[in-house]
Amino acid sequence: MSIELPRRALLACAAAGFATALSGCAGRNPDGAAPQEEATPGERSAETARLRRRTAQDSAELLARYDAALAAHPALAPALAPLRKTVADQLSVVRSGEPPAPAPDVPGAPAEPAAALAALADAERQLSHVRLRALTEAPPELARLLASLSAAGSVHTYLLNEVRP
C-alpha cells in the first residue's frame, strides 16, 4: 500500500522545514555565541573605504614589482607586459576616481630572470590569498571585485610559473 500526498502538501512541508532551519540558524553564531550587534552604516562605510584603500595599495605595490622586474629584465617584456597591463587596469578600477597615492617602495627585482619570475609569482599568490581572506569583511560589491582580483592573481601565478626565461 502506497501513501500519496498532494504536491502542494509536499511543497508546504518542504517550505516549512526550510524556514524552520533558517530561523534556527539565525539566532546564534556557529560557535554558539549570541550574534554581535550590526555595524552602523557609517561604520560599514568606513570599513569598506579602508578595505578599498588597502586593496589599491596592494595593487600599486604589485604594479611596482612588475615595473622593477621589467626594468631589470627587458627580455621578459613579451611575457610580463600583458600581466602588468592587467594589474594596472585592476588598480584603476580599485581606485575608482580617487587620486593616485605615491608610488610604493618595493624591493628591486632579483638579478636572475628566473628568480624575478618566481618572486612575481610569489607576490601574486600571496596577494591572491590576502584578497580571498578579505571577502568575509567586504560588502557584496567589493567582495565581487576582490574575488575577481583573487582569481586573476591565481591565473597570473600560473602563467608566471609557465614562463621560461
Side-chain angles (χ1 to χ4, degrees):
M1 173 193 316
S2 67
I3 299 175
E4 291 186 29
L5 293 175
R7 188 169 144 188
R8 287 184 187 174
L10 286 174
L11 289 174
C13 289
F18 185 69
T20 302
L22 283 179
S23 66
C25 294
R28 297 245 173 232
N29 289 328
D31 61 1
Q36 296 178 353
E37 289 185 27
E38 286 284 321
T40 65
E43 291 170 335
R44 283 192 301 270
S45 178
E47 291 171 12
T48 300
R50 179 194 57 77
L51 183 56
R52 189 175 275 280
R53 278 191 306 275
R54 180 67 208 168
T55 302
Q57 181 181 356
D58 290 343
S59 292
E61 288 174 9
L62 184 60
L63 185 62
R65 288 179 183 272
Y66 272 96
D67 289 342
L70 283 165
H73 307 287
L76 294 177
L80 295 184
L83 301 178
R84 186 214 175 272
K85 182 182 179 332
T86 301
V87 172
D89 291 345
Q90 292 168 350
L91 178 58
S92 67
V93 168
V94 171
R95 282 189 178 148
S96 67
E98 291 185 18
D105 290 331
V106 295
E112 293 296 319
L117 290 168
L120 277 175
D122 189 49
E124 286 273 14
R125 181 178 26 263
Q126 287 177 6
L127 187 52
S128 178
H129 290 300
V130 165
R131 289 174 170 162
L132 211 52
R133 285 191 301 270
L135 289 175
T136 60
E137 60 188 80
E141 179 183 342
L142 185 54
R144 285 188 293 273
L145 177 61
L146 289 170
S148 176
L149 294 174
S150 179
S154 294
V155 170
H156 284 194
T157 300
Y158 173 80
L159 293 173
L160 287 165
N161 286 324
E162 294 298 309
V163 174
R164 301 292 173 241

